[in-house]
Amino acid sequence: MDNPSKITEGGVEYSLGKFDGKSLLYDFPKILIYLDAKGKMLFGQKFRVYDEDREILLKLCYYFIRDKENCASYGIDVDKGILLSGPVGSGKTTLMKLLRHLVPLQRPYEMIPSRNVTFSFNHLGYRTIEDYGNAKFFCFDDLGVEPPGRFYGKDLNVMGEVLLSRYELFLQTNKKLKTHATTNLSADELEERYGHRVRSRMRELFNLIAFDEATGDKRK
């Protein structure tokens, strides 16, 4: 890719800003045009960028393009992952699926429904904790509403264990490992679900970016 300020999708070239040969100066309105077009390709013609989501999108874009100065103004650490929280249907999963396309040169993350991790544990046992507590980049979707794990009669809070494993690896890799998640739960509900120890590790793993609680269901 000779010019990182341009992305071609479906034969159309989109500009994300200006590239002077060394650094890329992003242009947020141009980014929104690209995200709207890419969103329609991924999710169909009904997809659109909602005006009320612009603040959330701005924070996420600053994070993904690693704009440290603007991230700092929002209290966002570019070395941590993203925990995107909000009501059901607010568009969390859609945005996390979409925004990884904004930075094609960065290492991509895989979207995994949290319930699938539990189902895997119920079938395969503790190997699942190793499989997801590894050096891959993941975004765990719908964190906190997955069923409890059970293997040979023993119960386990599977996603809690996965997050603890990924936290240890986060420290070992000098904060280069990325873990993201989406959730419908509040911070208090997450602590109730996973316990204080996991909640405190989550604070170190994630930047919390939250939709307004009054955000409507976009799927209706």
Side-chain angles (χ1 to χ4, degrees):
M1 188 180 294
D2 296 328
N3 188 340
S5 71
K6 300 191 186 302
I7 296 181
T8 301
E9 297 282 1
V12 180
E13 186 176 78
Y14 296 91
S15 171
L16 304 179
K18 292 179 181 173
F19 182 60
D20 64 7
K22 290 183 180 176
S23 58
L24 174 51
L25 186 65
Y26 283 93
D27 183 325
F28 187 56
K30 288 181 177 178
I31 287 177
L32 288 182
I33 290 169
Y34 166 70
L35 291 177
D36 186 67
K38 184 65 177 176
K40 284 180 168 60
M41 288 178 199
L42 291 173
F43 310 113
Q45 289 303 310
K46 287 185 178 178
F47 174 86
R48 66 186 177 94
V49 173
Y50 290 81
D51 286 342
E52 64 263 33
D53 295 344
R54 284 175 73 99
E55 181 83 358
I56 289 269
L57 261 174
L58 189 62
K59 291 178 185 178
L60 289 169
C61 286
Y62 284 150
Y63 171 81
F64 278 103
I65 65 176
R66 295 183 66 83
D67 183 332
K68 292 185 180 181
E69 194 174 324
N70 278 308
C71 278
S73 70
Y74 284 109
I76 295 169
D77 182 341
V78 295
D79 290 325
K80 294 182 181 182
I82 294 290
L83 176 61
L84 188 58
S85 77
V88 172
S90 52
K92 305 178 295 294
T93 303
T94 298
L95 288 185
M96 291 305 286
K97 284 180 176 176
L98 175 60
L99 279 156
R100 57 188 172 176
H101 295 281
L102 181 60
V103 282
L105 295 183
Q106 285 185 27
R107 185 174 169 187
Y109 51 86
E110 191 178 341
M111 295 287 295
I112 301 286
S114 295
R115 67 178 183 276
N116 288 14
V117 181
T118 299
F119 294 153
S120 175
F121 174 81
N122 293 348
H123 181 59
L124 299 171
Y126 288 87
R127 196 184 101 195
T128 298
I129 310 299
E130 295 172 20
D131 287 347
Y132 290 105
N134 65 22
K136 284 185 182 175
F137 288 15
F138 289 114
C139 178
F140 296 109
D141 200 24
D142 270 342
L143 183 68
V145 295
E146 70 278 358
R150 172 167 277 213
F151 188 68
Y152 281 103
K154 186 171 182 184
D155 292 337
L156 187 75
N157 193 325
V158 179
M159 281 308 306
E161 291 299 320
V162 168
L163 290 174
L164 288 173
S165 292
R166 293 191 68 79
Y167 171 74
E168 294 300 328
L169 208 54
F170 177 65
L171 296 182
Q172 290 169 24
T173 60
N174 198 22
K175 300 187 176 180
K176 288 184 170 62
L177 181 79
K178 281 286 190 296
T179 306
H180 307 297
T182 71
T183 187
N184 304 329
L185 304 186
S186 68
D188 287 345
E189 288 169 326
L190 285 168
E191 182 157 341
E192 192 177 314
R193 179 78 170 79
Y194 295 114
H196 178 70
R197 181 170 170 237
V198 174
R199 174 69 188 125
S200 69
R201 299 293 186 270
M202 287 174 73
R203 287 192 188 95
E204 297 179 64
L205 263 184
F206 297 121
N207 297 285
L208 176 61
I209 296 181
F211 280 88
D212 191 287
E213 288 180 12
T215 303
D217 190 338
K218 297 181 175 76
R219 296 179 295 196
K220 289 182 178 177

